[in-house]
Amino acid sequence: MKKVSILLISVLFALAVSCSNPTTNPDNTNTEDGTQNGIALSERAGTYSGTMNGMQLVIVLNDQAQVTSITINNGDNSITEPITIKEGPTHTGTTIAPFAASVTMNNNSSPAVVKIDFTSATDASKGATAKVQVGANDPSQFNENSAITVELTYTK
């Protein structure tokens, strides 16, 4: 029994080391301090689009880490001033903090909080996932369980 336990611990340790090694797991780009060595947010500039409850959601991000447009079903852009992503253009992680926005649906404007998780640390073309909590206006109170999840494709 003791030999089986030691063997099992050895296998688990080897697996853990293998998965944390960028050579054997290239998608794992975390450093020792928890940051990521991915591409900068400025390099993720482009259009992210996906379907949310049968409606087309489009988010445009510029190279200054600003959301310049959010539209639903080709409606009016509900952003009058760019929304600056607090992590900034040099941020290399795959997650940005929730931010407050306004969305227009059926000619009605509503507050919303949006959180974006990029699919890949090193390849912007892999898209992102947006979580949109319509009716919320405080990013610090963002609740993923109340948000609509939208898989977004990327175009430059």
Side-chain angles (χ1 to χ4, degrees):
M1 184 69 161
K2 201 174 197 180
K3 289 181 182 180
V4 172
S5 296
I6 291 172
L7 179 63
L8 182 59
I9 290 170
S10 297
V11 169
L12 290 175
F13 179 75
L15 181 61
V17 169
S18 175
C19 288
S20 66
N21 182 343
T23 304
T24 56
N25 185 6
D27 286 344
N28 182 350
T29 56
N30 289 334
T31 61
E32 289 179 13
D33 65 359
T35 60
Q36 292 184 317
N37 292 327
I39 59 174
L41 193 53
S42 62
E43 295 177 54
R44 296 184 184 279
T47 302
Y48 295 83
S49 59
T51 303
M52 153 178 105
N53 291 343
M55 298 180 284
Q56 182 73 16
L57 171 69
V58 178
I59 299 173
V60 178
L61 178 68
N62 71 15
D63 64 356
Q64 299 299 307
Q66 297 174 322
V67 175
T68 58
S69 175
I70 297 178
T71 59
I72 296 177
N73 282 348
N74 298 320
D76 293 334
N77 178 17
S78 52
I79 297 177
T80 56
E81 294 289 324
I83 299 168
T84 300
I85 304 301
K86 77 177 187 175
E87 289 85 353
T90 60
H91 175 66
T92 57
T94 55
T95 300
I96 57 174
F99 58 89
S102 177
V103 294
T104 303
M105 295 183 291
N106 301 329
N107 296 324
N108 295 318
S109 184
S110 298
V113 174
V114 180
K115 179 182 177 198
I116 299 174
D117 293 304
F118 297 101
T119 305
S120 170
T122 58
D123 186 354
S125 70
K126 302 256 178 162
T129 299
K131 296 191 179 198
V132 182
Q133 187 177 4
V134 178
N137 55 17
D138 183 355
S140 69
Q141 301 296 313
F142 179 73
N143 181 349
E144 288 195 27
N145 296 326
S146 299
I148 300 165
T149 300
V150 186
E151 296 301 322
L152 303 172
T153 57
Y154 170 83
T155 53
K156 188 102 174 142

